[in-house]
């Protein structure tokens, strides 16, 4: 008999990140289960707070001083037993607390006390006939007779102008009854049918391979438009037939209304949709629908991976190369890693898909850790678009200083005349202040790290990997020209230019600013789909999953912007962005064309992307990563400090830097870089510094570093915030 429970309490403080032992009172013994949320007395004042039961024990050595669990909160368990294994692993791997991990498994609403939305309606009860009652009672009875189960008490009272207390009297004597019904807050809109397609040979082969193999992890590498979605839907159908459940992750659900349209159109409205823009109530309802086995399929952003399915057969991760699968707040998990951990625990299959694999995933495919499935043709027979590289240095020589090259300008004109649509893409990041020569394309880089230097306002350049700083030079060290400048152009500016040069065109802009309101993304998307505009200007958002038949021209305004981000993944990101955005062109019967503008036409990732040559790109990139000691050959641990008090911040991070260097000094497999200011050296009044540790280290060492950092920050933890991230998605 288990008399003791191991409980994690709902208290954010790092000091209480442990499993506390509580006694289980006799009345709860028959009911309590692992995974229950409970109320427990905590701290000196024995304040009652929430806790989560993670373990049971038969015995306990010093049980006398233990406190009792006060109560069980819900009539169901909020965490599954298998997920507790996952929680423990996540806490180690992502260097965070139990509570951080527990919280991702629960809809936020549950802790805040959100409940089912319940409506109490009034039904007819005992027969009134032959009873001597006042006419007013009879009138109410008649109203209910005509509206059985439709209205609540207050609604009846208001709508029909009758007394609430009379209704209560009738209820008391059972002439009327109350009935509780649960109102669902999820989207129950009907979608038009999305008919099944007959799979082509490549698609059928992918489905057969996955269904017929004992392997657990697969990667579907299919060119843009090869019909991966159709494969996913076929796999989901297979799973449903086997009575298993599926989760499909997409980069951010609100960004692909098309995907929801297709899935709901195929499988009916009974699939859960789970993403960050749902209200607490909506999340709670969707979570509960999964918990109560009312849905078999969920589609959502990365956090949908934690939904409480009990019989999971498959996790599909579309566009696996996307950075948004990595969380940048605690727990700083990577959904792809979670999928594989889940697969180990529960035996489900994991399907990754992309037209532009991440280097890490492809490396694992070649090492046979992941089964690779290739699709080489577009499903509807459309041709891959032709990509033409325009050297912007030559435009400058022709005295064309506008943001449009001649070729792009003519292309836009052409498409407008032919009544075809155009997408203009700008990978804008306001802080990507790299410095380059507009005459020869030279980019200022750190000699130690092969990373673009970042421009700082007090007129120096710095490498934010190793902290080395360089003077700003007004003259290009390569060609001697005076056209050295830092880059800065935004989507708004492009919109202005387009309107000036093509006043006849109808223009839409899709970026962070224009999509902040709840349905604005969908509105812009629909307007462009319905051909209410000719030109769509946008940031990364326009690179994802859009399937418009009338788009024949894609213009990439400045491919260099992502190429020169100070990040070892910048080459990979550039290759991906170019391929993805190019994939939006020529999806219908008409041929597509892409004009790619750049100052560095010889850059490896730009050249390979323009030829659709991932293999060559991969070979070169993996070689650089090997020689520079970057992942997948090593891990990166990023320790980030932030504070309003700059002196205090610097003093503490330098102190910790010295301690860590001491600990690691005899370990030649590990490099420690910094401390130095982050690329974004100040956000919202908070100064930011970082230490970067790079090398082959195991979880034990990472945990050790975490302990050292937190111990040394004990006295200033209110003023200096720390964040530790293992293999961060970006290093800004
Ligand atoms: P991907 O996700 O690989 O970029 P999509 O799934 O968006 O590709 O498919 C591209 C287009 O091809 C879509 O319009 C889709 O309806 C169509 N399609 C997919 N499979 C088939 C098929 N077997 N037969 C005909 N058309 C198909
Ligand atoms: Zn130059
Ligand atoms: Zn450097």
């Amino acid at each position: 008999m288990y008399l003791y429970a191991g409980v994690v309490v709902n208290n954010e403080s790092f000091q209480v990140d442990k499993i506390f032992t509580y006694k289980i009172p006799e009345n709860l013994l028959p009911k309590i289960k692992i995974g229950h949320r409970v109320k427990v007395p905590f701290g000196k004042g024995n304040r009652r707070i929430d806790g989560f039961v993670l373990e049971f024990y038969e015995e306990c050595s010093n049980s006398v001083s233990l406190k009792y669990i006060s109560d069980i909160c819900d009539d169901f368990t909020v965490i599954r037993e298998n997920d507790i294994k996952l929680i423990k692993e996540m806490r180690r791997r992502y260097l965070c607390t139990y509570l951080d991990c527990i919280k991702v498994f629960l809809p936020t609403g549950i802790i805040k006390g959100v409940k089912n939305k319940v409506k109490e309606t009034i039904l007819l009860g005992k027969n009134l006939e032959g009873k001597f009652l006042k006419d007013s009672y009879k009138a109410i009875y008649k109203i209910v007779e005509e509206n059985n189960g439709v209205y609540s008490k207050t609604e009846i009272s208001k709508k029909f102008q009758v007394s609430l207390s009379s209704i209560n009297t009738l209820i008391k004597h059972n002439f009327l009854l109350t009935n509780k019904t649960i109102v669902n807050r999820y989207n129950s809109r009907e979608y038009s049918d999305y008919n099944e397609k007959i799979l082509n040979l490549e698609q059928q082969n992918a489905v057969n391979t996955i269904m017929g193999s004992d392997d657990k992890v697969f990667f579907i590498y299919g060119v843009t438009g090869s019909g991966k979605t159709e494969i996913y839907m076929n796999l989901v159908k297979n799973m449903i037939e086997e009575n298993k459940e599926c989760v499909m992750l997409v980069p951010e659900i609100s960004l692909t209304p098309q995907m929801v349209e297709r899935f709901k159109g195929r499988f009916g409205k009974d699939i859960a949709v789970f993403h960050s823009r749902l209200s607490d109530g909506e999340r709670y309802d969707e979570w509960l629908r999964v918990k109560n086995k009312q849905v078999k399929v969920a589609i959502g952003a990365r956090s949908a991976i934690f939904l409480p399915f009990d019989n999971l057969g498959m996790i599909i991760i579309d566009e696996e190369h996307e950075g948004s699968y990595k969380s940048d707040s605690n727990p700083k998990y990577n959904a792809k890693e979670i999928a594989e951990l889940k697969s180990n625990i529960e035996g489900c299959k994991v399907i990754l898909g992309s037209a532009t694999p991440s280097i890490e995933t492809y490396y694992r495919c070649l090492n046979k850790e992941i089964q690779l499935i290739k699709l080489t043709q577009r499903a509807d027979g459309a041709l891959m678009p032709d990509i033409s590289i325009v050297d912007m240095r030559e435009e400058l020589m022709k005295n064309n200083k506008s943001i449009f090259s001649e070729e792009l300008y003519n292309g836009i004109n052409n498409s407008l005349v032919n009544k075809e649509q155009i997408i203009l893409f700008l990978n804008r990041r306001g802080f990507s202040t790299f410095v380059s020569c507009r005459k020869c394309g030279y980019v200022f880089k750190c000699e130690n790290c092969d990373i673009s230097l970042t421009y700082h306002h007090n007129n120096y350049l710095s490498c934010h990997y190793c902290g080395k700083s360089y003077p700003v030079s007004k003259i290009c060290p390569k060609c001697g020209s005076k056209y050295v400048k830092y880059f800065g152009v935004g989507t708004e500016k492009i919109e202005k230019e387009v309107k000036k040069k093509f006043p006849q065109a109808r223009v839409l802009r899709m970026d962070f600013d224009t999509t902040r309101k709840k349905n604005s993304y969908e509105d812009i998307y629909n307007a462009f789909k319905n051909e209410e505009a000719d030109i769509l200007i946008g940031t990364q958002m326009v690179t994802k999953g859009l399937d418009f038949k009338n788009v024949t021209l894609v213009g990439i305004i400045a491919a260099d912007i992502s190429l020169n981000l100070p990040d070892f993944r910048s080459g990979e990101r550039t290759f991906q962005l170019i391929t993805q955005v190019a994939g939006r062109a020529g999806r219908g019967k008409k041929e597509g064309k892409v004009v790619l503008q750049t100052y560095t036409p010889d850059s490896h990732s730009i050249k390979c992307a323009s030829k659709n040559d991932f293999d060559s790109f991969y070979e070169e990139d993996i070689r650089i990563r090997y020689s520079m000691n970057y992942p997948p050959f090593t891990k990166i641990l990023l320790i980030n400090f932030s504070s309003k008090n700059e002196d205090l911040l610097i003093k503490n991070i330098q102190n910790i830097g010295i301690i860590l260097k001491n600990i690691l000094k005899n370990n030649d497999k590990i490099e420690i870089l910094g401390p130095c200011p982050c690329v974004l050296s100040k956000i919202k009044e908070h100064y930011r510094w970082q230490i970067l540790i790079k090398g082959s280290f195991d979880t034990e060492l990472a945990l050790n570093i975490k302990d050292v950092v937190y111990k040394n920050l004990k006295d200033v933890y209110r003023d200096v915030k720390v964040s530790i991230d293992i293999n961060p998605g970006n290093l800004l």
Side-chain angles (χ1 to χ4, degrees):
M1 179 85 120
Y2 295 118
L3 297 172
Y4 307 94
V7 174
V8 168
V9 292
N10 183 21
N11 179 314
E12 302 281 347
S13 160
F14 190 74
Q15 274 89 338
V16 302
D17 177 39
K18 31 180 117 115
I19 300 181
F20 291 93
T21 307
Y22 279 88
K23 277 193 273 199
I24 307 172
E26 218 162 300
N27 66 319
L28 297 183
L29 270 176
K31 282 187 279 182
I32 195 161
K33 290 197 187 107
I34 296 246
H36 260 136
R37 182 167 64 116
V38 290
K39 287 274 181 222
V40 291
F42 189 72
K44 287 205 191 82
N46 281 333
R47 203 160 55 88
R48 288 205 334 158
I49 63 175
D50 278 354
F52 302 91
V53 180
L54 297 201
E55 297 174 348
F56 282 149
Y57 321 108
E58 284 179 26
E59 299 173 11
C60 177
S61 50
N62 59 340
S63 62
V64 190
S65 60
L66 292 181
K67 300 172 187 178
Y68 278 100
I69 289 178
S70 317
D71 208 353
I72 300 173
C73 300
D74 317 277
D75 43 18
F76 48 85
T77 57
V78 295
I79 314 171
R80 302 165 57 245
E81 282 208 61
N82 272 344
D83 290 338
I84 289 171
K85 289 186 202 150
L86 194 51
I87 285 167
K88 290 180 178 170
E89 174 60 24
M90 286 169 68
R91 175 174 173 267
R92 283 168 53 80
R93 191 182 278 233
Y94 302 116
L95 309 170
C96 56
T97 65
Y98 284 114
L99 192 63
D100 289 332
C101 300
I102 289 172
K103 281 188 172 169
V104 293
F105 287 87
L106 309 176
T108 31
I110 232 176
I111 297 179
K112 291 192 198 152
V114 172
K115 288 270 153 57
N116 277 326
K117 193 168 164 187
V118 180
K119 184 171 172 177
E120 223 177 38
T121 57
I122 304 297
L123 299 173
L124 274 195
K126 276 196 309 199
N127 202 331
L128 252 195
E129 254 164 67
K131 301 270 180 327
F132 296 101
L133 285 175
K134 279 199 285 189
D135 281 351
S136 61
Y137 286 127
K138 285 185 180 157
I140 294 172
Y141 192 84
K142 189 144 183 283
I143 291 167
V144 175
E145 201 165 22
E146 283 160 11
N147 300 286
N148 205 6
V150 177
Y151 299 112
S152 69
K153 287 195 287 204
T154 36
E155 281 169 344
I156 293 174
S157 155
K158 274 206 192 115
K159 199 173 164 84
F160 302 96
Q161 307 269 320
V162 294
S163 121
L164 195 58
S165 67
S166 306
I167 301 177
N168 282 333
T169 311
L170 286 167
I171 292 171
K172 199 169 132 203
H173 295 285
N174 291 330
F175 292 115
L176 295 180
L177 305 172
T178 57
N179 178 37
K180 281 186 188 165
T181 48
I182 294 177
V183 189
N184 263 314
R185 282 162 287 208
Y186 62 87
N187 162 8
S188 55
R189 188 182 126 197
E190 297 281 342
Y191 288 80
S192 51
D193 283 354
Y194 185 67
N195 291 329
E196 247 179 86
K197 303 214 159 48
I198 298 166
L199 298 187
N200 63 31
L201 275 178
E202 283 190 329
Q203 287 171 319
Q204 192 59 57
N205 171 47
V207 173
N208 291 347
T209 306
I210 290 168
M211 294 310 296
S213 165
D214 288 333
D215 282 1
K216 287 283 182 261
V217 190
F218 301 83
F219 174 56
I220 305 179
Y221 172 21
V223 298
T224 51
S226 56
K228 293 184 286 296
T229 316
E230 203 58 40
I231 297 176
Y232 302 148
M233 287 196 278
N234 212 283
L235 291 169
V236 170
K237 193 179 119 194
N238 272 293
M239 284 294 128
I240 293 175
E241 277 164 8
E242 286 185 13
N243 228 347
K244 295 227 172 96
E245 298 148 346
C246 287
V247 172
M248 167 141 153
L249 303 187
V250 294
E252 170 64 61
I253 197 76
S254 57
L255 295 183
T256 54
Q258 197 156 33
M259 193 66 91
V260 179
E261 233 168 61
R262 287 181 181 178
F263 268 77
K264 291 210 167 184
R266 175 79 48 93
F267 297 106
K269 64 179 172 10
D270 282 337
I271 64 179
V273 178
F274 207 71
H275 55 90
S276 55
R277 293 203 200 177
L278 298 182
S279 67
D280 283 350
E282 286 169 326
R283 292 191 140 239
Y284 180 83
D285 284 357
E286 290 293 57
W287 183 86
L288 213 58
R289 286 208 302 154
V290 173
K291 176 103 194 148
N292 294 337
K293 305 195 189 310
Q294 289 163 316
V295 293
K296 285 207 164 329
V297 185
I299 154 168
R302 65 168 180 255
S303 62
I305 191 129
F306 299 112
L307 283 169
F309 284 111
D310 262 330
N311 190 18
L312 199 58
M314 192 176 279
I315 299 169
I316 299 170
I317 303 186
D318 189 29
E319 314 262 19
E320 66 83 25
H321 61 278
E322 273 296 323
S324 60
Y325 290 122
K326 172 81 168 81
S327 163
D328 50 16
S329 59
N330 279 332
K332 298 190 172 78
Y333 67 93
N334 184 326
K336 284 190 278 181
E337 287 172 5
I338 301 290
E340 288 190 47
L341 290 173
K342 265 183 116 77
S343 167
N344 290 339
I345 296 173
E346 323 211 0
C348 58
K349 293 195 179 198
V350 176
I351 318 297
L352 308 173
S354 174
T356 51
S358 63
I359 296 289
E360 278 95 337
T361 297
Y362 205 66
Y363 178 76
R364 295 182 60 205
C365 288
L366 298 186
N367 280 343
K368 306 261 181 288
E369 288 171 43
I370 297 177
Q371 189 174 155
L372 177 64
I373 299 171
K374 277 192 183 183
L375 302 160
T376 55
Q377 307 292 324
R378 281 192 158 176
D380 49 9
L383 295 172
M384 294 304 284
D386 184 40
I387 302 183
S388 150
I389 300 181
V390 175
D391 185 342
M392 292 304 275
R393 296 171 303 185
E394 286 173 12
E395 297 293 314
L396 190 70
M397 280 195 292
K398 286 191 280 185
N399 208 21
N400 173 10
K401 293 205 179 107
S402 107
I403 50 179
F404 303 111
S405 60
E406 202 180 325
E407 185 170 352
L408 183 55
Y409 179 86
N410 291 340
I412 294 175
N413 250 338
N414 240 332
S415 295
L416 289 175
V417 169
N418 294 334
K419 303 243 169 304
E420 292 158 3
Q421 289 173 293
I422 300 147
I423 293 180
L424 295 179
F425 166 65
L426 180 78
N427 174 22
R428 183 190 58 146
R429 310 210 51 179
F431 42 81
S432 59
T433 46
F434 70 97
V435 180
S436 68
C437 168
R438 292 186 81 176
K439 184 132 183 261
C440 77
Y442 176 83
V443 175
F444 289 72
K445 287 192 172 176
C446 173
E447 50 204 28
N448 299 332
C449 310
D450 193 37
I451 295 293
S452 312
L453 296 173
T454 305
Y455 177 79
H456 287 262
H457 289 292
N458 353 12
N459 232 23
Y460 66 96
L461 300 171
S462 80
C463 167
H464 83 108
Y465 272 35
C466 70
K468 191 167 158 102
S469 63
Y470 300 76
V472 177
S473 146
K474 294 224 159 55
I475 290 175
C476 171
K478 197 172 156 208
C479 75
S481 94
K482 281 183 257 166
Y483 287 102
V484 171
K485 50 192 299 190
Y486 55 92
F487 233 88
V489 54
T491 39
E492 253 171 287
K493 178 154 176 226
I494 293 177
E495 185 181 14
K496 249 193 219 155
E497 289 288 307
V498 168
K499 285 184 170 156
K500 209 162 79 190
K501 293 230 154 82
F502 308 99
Q504 75 278 29
R506 299 163 301 166
V507 182
L508 285 172
R509 177 159 65 94
M510 183 187 271
D511 57 22
F512 181 71
D513 293 330
T514 62
T515 53
R516 242 179 287 185
K517 277 200 240 120
K518 191 160 183 182
N519 292 319
S520 49
Y521 177 91
E522 207 151 357
D523 293 343
I524 299 174
Y525 164 85
N526 283 326
F528 198 63
K529 182 179 171 185
N530 299 333
E531 301 186 22
E532 288 159 28
D534 308 300
I535 303 180
L536 175 67
I537 300 168
T539 53
Q540 271 87 326
M541 289 178 196
V542 302
T543 65
K544 277 176 215 150
L546 304 179
D547 188 23
F548 301 124
K549 303 291 182 216
N550 195 34
V551 173
T552 52
L553 176 66
V554 166
I556 301 172
I557 304 290
D560 310 70
I561 296 184
S562 62
L563 194 58
N564 294 313
L565 270 184
D567 192 317
F568 71 89
R569 289 199 180 88
S570 61
E572 177 185 351
R573 294 270 152 76
T574 305
F575 184 93
Q576 289 162 353
L577 281 171
I578 294 174
T579 310
Q580 296 284 344
V581 72
R584 305 308 120 217
R587 286 191 157 232
K589 301 240 152 41
K590 301 171 205 160
E591 222 172 288
K593 181 177 173 63
V594 180
V595 177
L596 184 162
Q597 306 189 148
T598 174
Y599 289 93
T600 46
D602 293 327
S603 124
H604 190 67
S605 45
I606 289 180
K607 273 207 310 223
C608 291
S610 74
K611 285 190 240 143
N612 247 314
D613 185 1
F614 177 75
D615 288 340
S616 306
F617 169 70
Y618 173 81
E619 258 171 47
E620 173 72 6
D621 208 62
I622 200 87
R623 193 188 59 71
I624 296 174
R625 291 197 186 195
Y626 183 75
S627 68
M628 301 298 296
N629 250 326
Y630 288 128
F633 302 101
T634 54
K635 282 188 209 164
I636 286 181
L637 183 78
L638 182 69
I639 305 170
N640 187 309
F641 282 36
S642 71
S643 175
K644 280 189 175 176
N645 182 336
E646 195 177 17
D647 293 337
L648 190 70
L649 170 75
I650 296 175
K651 198 178 114 208
N652 276 283
I653 198 160
Q654 276 175 342
N655 178 34
I656 283 176
I658 292 166
I659 296 171
L660 291 178
K661 275 179 191 152
N662 240 324
I663 294 175
L664 299 170
K665 71 172 177 250
N666 294 326
N667 194 330
D668 58 359
K669 291 202 184 91
I670 295 174
E671 257 180 284
I672 167 162
L673 304 174
C676 63
C678 305
V679 178
L680 300 170
S681 54
K682 195 177 176 189
I683 297 179
K684 291 185 191 148
E685 292 176 57
H686 285 80
Y687 296 91
R688 302 170 76 236
W689 278 58
Q690 69 184 29
I691 294 174
L692 201 151
I693 298 171
K694 186 173 89 169
S696 30
F697 48 86
D698 54 15
T699 308
E700 290 311 320
L701 181 66
L703 285 166
N704 191 7
I705 293 174
K706 167 185 159 189
D707 276 350
V708 169
V709 172
Y710 278 99
K711 268 205 194 102
N712 282 284
L713 276 185
K714 223 170 57 208
D715 299 331
V716 289
Y717 76 96
R718 281 181 207 283
D719 299 309
V720 180
K721 295 287 169 232
V722 63
S723 142
I724 305 184
D725 198 346
I726 194 111
N727 285 341
N730 62 55
L731 298 163
L732 301 172

